[in-house]
Amino acid sequence: MIKRVTYGVIFGSVLIITGVVFLCAFIVFPNEPQEAVIQKEPVLFCGTPNPPGESLKGKEIMSAYCAACHKITTDFGNGMLQWIDKNYNKEFLIAYINNEDSLIRANNRIVKQLHKKYGESEYKHKNEFTKEEIESLISYIAFYQNN
């Protein structure tokens, strides 16, 4: 008889402790994680953050001339334009964006590497952007990557 009572007390204690643990788990760990509310800079309706003033022209150029073929980043974080501001100097980018053919004719080592890595396209960059417009474009790409 004492064994029965002892087993009953132990079993009852285990049930009570288990119930308390589950109750605490639901109180301490709610179903949905709580997120801190952080005030950020206003975002345009399409999800693109507002670029600083020096990048506005670059955003226009990117949208009008570049976005059909180029993405700044991809889902895998390895876009063709990713980190161009860190990987190439401005003089090269100005020459490449405005007249890619001249760099190909000059047998430019960097252009050869780009064509080897990404493939050579029938389209060659041939634009008439000013130095300031290209600097604005580079500034916009750098801003976009960091936001």
Side-chain angles (χ1 to χ4, degrees):
M1 174 89 175
I2 293 180
K3 276 187 172 180
R4 260 186 166 173
V5 172
T6 305
Y7 287 133
V9 170
I10 292 173
F11 183 72
S13 299
V14 169
L15 282 177
I16 291 172
I17 291 171
T18 305
V20 169
V21 168
F22 278 110
L23 183 62
C24 289
F26 287 116
I27 292 172
V28 174
F29 303 112
N31 290 340
E32 295 182 23
Q34 302 296 316
E35 294 182 22
V37 177
I38 300 172
Q39 291 293 342
K40 283 186 141 184
E41 190 176 317
V43 175
L44 298 177
F45 68 92
C46 64
T48 306
N50 295 318
E54 68 270 8
S55 300
L56 289 175
K57 184 66 176 171
K59 181 179 180 181
E60 292 174 14
I61 293 170
M62 182 72 191
S63 298
Y65 296 96
C66 309
C69 299
H70 294 289
K71 301 238 183 290
I72 296 174
T73 59
T74 65
D75 292 338
F76 305 106
N78 192 17
M80 288 181 64
L81 298 182
Q82 190 168 27
W83 308 120
I84 63 166
D85 60 316
K86 300 202 183 345
N87 293 329
Y88 307 103
N89 66 43
K90 286 183 184 176
E91 290 73 28
F92 169 77
L93 291 172
I94 291 168
Y96 186 75
I97 292 169
N98 276 337
N99 196 353
E100 182 179 353
D101 278 337
S102 68
L103 294 174
I104 292 171
R105 284 192 301 276
N107 212 17
N108 183 281
R109 168 185 64 82
I110 299 171
V111 174
K112 282 181 165 182
Q113 289 173 347
L114 288 171
H115 288 173
K116 184 176 180 181
K117 185 173 183 176
Y118 298 109
E120 191 169 349
S121 170
E122 290 180 23
Y123 174 80
K124 303 292 183 245
H125 296 99
K126 187 166 182 72
N127 300 292
E128 295 180 6
F129 298 126
T130 65
K131 180 180 178 182
E132 291 77 23
E133 288 174 325
I134 293 177
E135 286 174 350
S136 179
L137 176 63
I138 294 166
S139 172
Y140 172 69
I141 291 169
F143 168 80
Y144 186 89
Q145 292 172 150
N146 293 316
N147 288 300

